[in-house]
Amino acid sequence: MKNLLVTGGAGFIGTNFVYYWLNKYKDDHIVVLDALTYAGNKDNLTKAQKNPKFEFVHGNILDQTLVESLIKNHTIDTLVHFAAESHVDRSINGPDEFITTNVVGTHNLLKAAKKIWLDDNPKNHRFHHISTDEVYGSLKQDDPAFNENTPYAPNSPYAASKASSDHLVRAYHKTYGLQVTISNCSNNYGPFQFPEKLIPLIITNILNGKPLPVYGDGRQIRDWLYVDDHNRGVDLILDKGKTGETYNIGGNNEWTNIDIVNRVCDLIHEEFSQDRKLVQRFPNCPSSRGNHPKILISHVKDRLGHDRRYAVNADKISSNLGYSPGEDFKTGLPKTLQWFLAQE
């Protein structure tokens, strides 16, 4: 039985992780710590709050005293750190928040974990840090995918802040012996995602008849990972991963942005042709008027420092821990669309 502290558990990936874990490990206890910034929503966890094994705490990872008290009072043995500012565009316009939350906040968690788990009363523990493939920089069209030995080369304030936090986590392992693991994942998608990221933004804009902004030529390439495939990867790392190690979690699912936009347009148009109730529910959607949603596509000026391609080599977690993604866009995109249609 584990007692977990999940930071950022009211956000997109954190929420899905909480439901994944409660469903699979019914005897484990989960405490969520979340500051409820714009991308965190306590209502995401409404069903979890009915579970006696779950507790929500509204607080900030910048509050080291609070974190120490939670680890101590709830006998936490596993900390899964999702809490982060994560939107590249926001980091370009306002990098300070990203340094504060992602670097200083992570350091506060590490200090609290060291104090309770190592200094006060040494015990077996695990600090798992969620990171991103963006710390590795950008790939050319024919470059091999990022692996765990790829040198860091972050190109945005967001990526730089995550790279910094990765280094701090490693340093606390090497210097103090904190039992840590790190995972660097590719782009996630799925239920509960805040509609500033590409897939939920495209879905919600189509349903409301708003323009679909596509940066530049839209040929930027990303590897896409269904959120519960990510959570299964984290589960495997916590169960069988070696402390001090980093594991890349990918979806083996590279797509260009423009192809994703076109695919989502097609899926929604198909749904509207099959379910006429959607016409009444979403009258501003082009499909409600017999038009294809692709008419909403609008190419806009590319963002500053836009990485051209990310791709993750997940051979290490696959060969060492038995990981493989269970979803691709054929299954994952329709699931995601159905969730958004049901959450009007």
Side-chain angles (χ1 to χ4, degrees):
M1 185 181 77
K2 286 185 173 69
N3 294 318
L4 291 84
L5 175 61
V6 179
T7 69
F12 162 46
I13 307 176
T15 292
N16 283 281
F17 178 82
V18 167
Y19 286 121
Y20 168 91
W21 202 271
L22 288 174
N23 183 59
K24 184 173 181 181
Y25 300 104
K26 300 189 185 301
D27 292 331
D28 288 1
H29 182 74
I30 293 182
V31 178
V32 162
L33 174 64
D34 200 295
L36 296 179
T37 58
Y38 76 94
N41 185 352
K42 190 177 178 181
D43 289 343
N44 289 351
L45 299 168
T46 298
K47 292 181 180 178
Q49 292 178 64
K50 299 175 183 177
N51 189 321
K53 298 289 186 179
F54 173 84
E55 182 173 339
F56 179 83
V57 176
H58 183 195
N60 201 306
I61 61 173
L62 296 169
D63 187 343
Q64 184 181 336
T65 301
L66 172 61
V67 176
E68 289 177 9
S69 69
L70 292 176
I71 295 174
K72 183 177 180 179
N73 295 338
H74 292 275
T75 322
I76 299 297
D77 51 57
T78 304
L79 193 158
V80 186
H81 177 31
F82 290 100
E85 295 287 345
S86 65
H87 193 222
V88 174
D89 287 359
R90 288 178 183 269
S91 81
I92 293 169
N93 296 324
D96 289 3
E97 275 187 90
F98 288 72
I99 304 304
T100 300
T101 298
N102 298 352
V103 182
V104 179
T106 299
H107 190 217
N108 277 348
L109 292 176
L110 290 165
K111 289 189 291 182
K114 174 182 176 292
K115 185 175 189 304
I116 303 302
W117 284 338
L118 296 179
D119 299 344
D120 291 354
N121 183 24
K123 62 166 63 177
N124 192 38
H125 61 269
R126 177 69 67 85
F127 185 112
H128 184 72
H129 177 60
I130 306 294
S131 190
T132 171
D133 57 1
E134 296 189 44
V135 299
Y136 298 123
S138 183
L139 292 170
K140 295 179 181 177
Q141 183 75 31
D142 298 324
D143 284 345
F146 301 128
N147 63 50
E148 290 81 0
N149 295 317
T150 301
Y152 276 25
N155 290 322
S156 70
Y158 161 62
S161 70
K162 291 299 289 184
S164 300
S165 63
D166 291 4
H167 291 321
L168 282 169
V169 173
R170 286 192 184 90
Y172 266 69
H173 172 69
K174 291 292 187 181
T175 304
Y176 304 112
L178 197 68
Q179 297 169 20
V180 310
T181 42
I182 299 172
S183 55
N184 295 80
C185 67
S186 52
N187 280 27
N188 280 220
Y189 70 101
F192 297 103
Q193 191 168 26
F194 190 80
E196 65 183 357
K197 300 297 179 72
L198 179 63
I199 290 174
L201 176 68
I202 295 304
I203 292 173
T204 53
N205 278 18
I206 290 172
L207 295 177
N208 289 287
K210 296 181 179 180
L212 308 180
V214 176
Y215 282 128
D217 62 5
R219 305 308 297 178
Q220 304 87 357
I221 298 171
R222 302 291 183 263
D223 175 43
W224 290 88
L225 176 67
Y226 190 71
V227 64
D228 270 347
D229 283 335
H230 182 185
N231 290 327
R232 287 193 305 104
V234 173
D235 184 4
L236 286 167
I237 295 169
L238 292 174
D239 182 35
K240 299 187 287 187
K242 183 179 178 182
T243 57
E245 291 290 312
T246 293
Y247 298 89
N248 285 346
I249 307 176
N252 298 326
N253 186 38
E254 289 188 58
W255 283 64
T256 65
N257 287 347
I258 189 63
D259 286 343
I260 291 172
V261 173
N262 283 322
R263 182 62 187 135
V264 173
C265 286
D266 289 339
L267 283 173
I268 290 180
H269 199 60
E270 290 167 14
E271 284 292 324
F272 272 70
S273 67
Q274 295 168 10
D275 184 356
R276 300 309 295 171
K277 292 180 182 178
L278 293 174
V279 173
Q280 282 137 13
R281 290 175 57 203
F282 302 102
N284 293 323
C285 177
S287 298
S288 295
R289 302 185 295 275
N291 297 317
H292 200 286
K294 290 180 184 179
I295 64 172
L296 298 173
I297 294 174
S298 173
H299 289 266
V300 298
K301 183 180 178 181
D302 209 352
R303 75 180 177 208
L304 298 173
H306 201 172
D307 293 330
R308 195 63 176 172
R309 174 175 169 246
Y310 306 139
V312 169
N313 182 325
D315 287 351
K316 179 178 177 179
I317 191 173
S318 297
S319 59
N320 292 359
L321 307 184
Y323 168 83
S324 63
E327 305 281 357
D328 57 19
F329 270 170
K330 290 180 181 177
T331 57
L333 266 184
K335 282 185 181 181
T336 302
L337 174 58
Q338 290 304 321
W339 187 87
F340 277 93
L341 288 174
Q343 304 296 324
E344 185 177 346

